[in-house]
Amino acid sequence: MRTATFEFTRAASLDEALAAMATGAQALAGGQSLVQTMKLRQAAPAHLVDINGVDDLRGLASDGDGLRIGALTRIAELASSPDLARHCPWLQDAARRTADVQVRNRGTIGGNLCFADPRSNLASTLISLRAELTVRSRGGTRRLGVEELFAGFRRNTLAAGELVTAVHVPGWAPAARGAYRELSRQPNGVPVVNVAVTVNTDGVVGIGVGGLGMRPLRALQVEEALRTVDRTDPDAVRTAAGRLADDLGAVEPLTDLHGSAEYRLDVATALLRRLVVETARTEES
């Protein structure tokens, strides 16, 4: 099916992109999700602004004690980055499991997040890392947590004219530990559920879970329960992981032909238990 007719602008700078978006244009980055929805007539933007020529939106760089990832950075760059492999291999693992090589070569981290699929490999991992986004418009700049970008199934919280320009990962330190796991119907397919666990240099645990609800969630109840338990003790971890059901109350449960809400919760809880014990043992070794 062909797309509906639309106006097209190619921006050479961030200011040009934001000016076009202020008039109602929608940003086009990798186009791996947007173009498909346009072909299916699930989306019909009247005006697209191509931001691929905006070099300020590319690349990975140290940002104080953390990492800045430009929103236009390709997922393939994350999957092959030596710096990411050294400092945050679990984020790289999530990137490598995202779709196939052709999609990773075009898809961008900003576009992946803004498409707002609750099963996003990258979203749950970044939530566990307590990453934040920089959002720009002609009216100014704001920051928000990755989990705050999601409004519902494939719906984000960006206002008209706003563009995600960067992802900021705090605590960019080799001493941090983490892991990512997913249940998928096929290699590099869309996960049924996925879980990411990050333990920062102070021993504080961050947990992101995708596929349980209409948006990915940060498992605050489980994080709090893990503060006071021995994370190498499977029984203690099992009790703490059981709080994931309480966290699910904050989002609308997701049920489809690939799994009921109850099945997804059981799988996510099992994955979570394994990752918490795994990261605790890694700290000790």
Side-chain angles (χ1 to χ4, degrees):
M1 185 180 293
R2 295 179 181 274
T3 66
T5 302
F6 58 89
E7 183 181 353
F8 182 80
T9 300
R10 181 174 286 112
S13 68
L14 181 57
D15 286 342
E16 283 186 29
L18 294 178
M21 294 183 69
T23 66
Q26 183 168 342
L28 173 67
Q32 299 304 288
S33 300
L34 176 59
V35 172
Q36 293 303 314
T37 58
M38 290 173 63
K39 285 183 176 180
L40 293 172
R41 300 293 178 100
Q42 294 172 347
H47 185 184
L48 289 182
V49 55
D50 184 347
I51 62 173
N52 283 279
V54 183
D55 290 337
D56 291 345
L57 300 179
R58 302 182 187 278
L60 293 78
S62 177
D63 181 21
D65 67 341
L67 173 73
R68 179 190 181 277
I69 306 173
L72 203 58
T73 303
R74 308 293 174 184
I75 297 172
E77 294 177 62
L78 302 178
S80 62
S81 166
D83 286 337
L84 209 59
R86 183 167 60 255
H87 292 293
C88 195
W90 59 104
L91 178 57
Q92 187 166 73
D93 185 25
R96 287 173 173 169
R97 292 172 181 262
T98 300
D100 56 34
V101 64
Q102 292 91 343
V103 170
R104 293 195 297 272
N105 282 339
R106 287 296 303 167
T108 65
I109 187 170
N112 179 278
L113 295 173
C114 289
F115 189 58
D117 193 307
R119 303 158 297 184
S120 165
N121 317 58
L122 296 176
S124 55
T125 311
L126 289 166
I127 288 171
S128 80
L129 285 158
R130 301 186 182 177
E132 294 185 330
L133 306 174
T134 294
V135 178
R136 290 277 305 275
S137 70
R138 295 191 80 182
T141 303
R142 65 187 179 107
R143 291 277 284 262
L144 71 160
V146 170
E147 64 272 23
E148 297 175 278
L149 178 66
F150 292 78
F153 190 84
R154 294 182 178 175
R155 293 187 296 110
N156 64 50
T157 60
L158 296 179
E162 287 191 321
L163 177 70
V164 172
T165 58
V167 180
H168 301 268
V169 181
W172 189 240
R177 297 289 182 267
Y180 170 85
R181 295 289 184 277
E182 65 179 42
L183 173 69
S184 181
R185 294 173 291 119
Q186 62 190 41
N188 294 89
V190 177
V192 178
V193 292
N194 58 63
V195 179
V197 172
T198 297
V199 184
N200 72 11
T201 52
D202 296 322
V204 178
V205 180
I207 300 169
V209 183
L212 281 188
M214 294 299 183
R215 51 188 175 86
L217 61 88
R218 179 177 166 191
L220 292 167
Q221 299 287 341
V222 182
E223 289 179 2
E224 184 62 31
L226 288 171
R227 288 180 179 272
T228 57
V229 304
D230 178 0
R231 288 184 282 111
T232 62
D233 181 350
D235 290 332
V237 170
R238 182 178 294 106
T239 299
R243 300 292 301 276
L244 188 57
D246 299 327
D247 284 305
L248 183 56
V251 300
E252 182 184 351
L254 175 61
T255 292
D256 60 19
L257 74 164
H258 305 303
S260 65
E262 294 79 9
Y263 172 73
R264 291 168 182 271
L265 179 59
D266 286 346
V267 173
T269 303
L271 291 176
L272 177 55
R273 289 200 309 264
R274 295 174 190 177
L275 293 190
V276 170
V277 173
E278 177 183 325
T279 52
R281 289 174 177 168
T282 302
E283 288 179 77
E284 292 186 334
S285 62

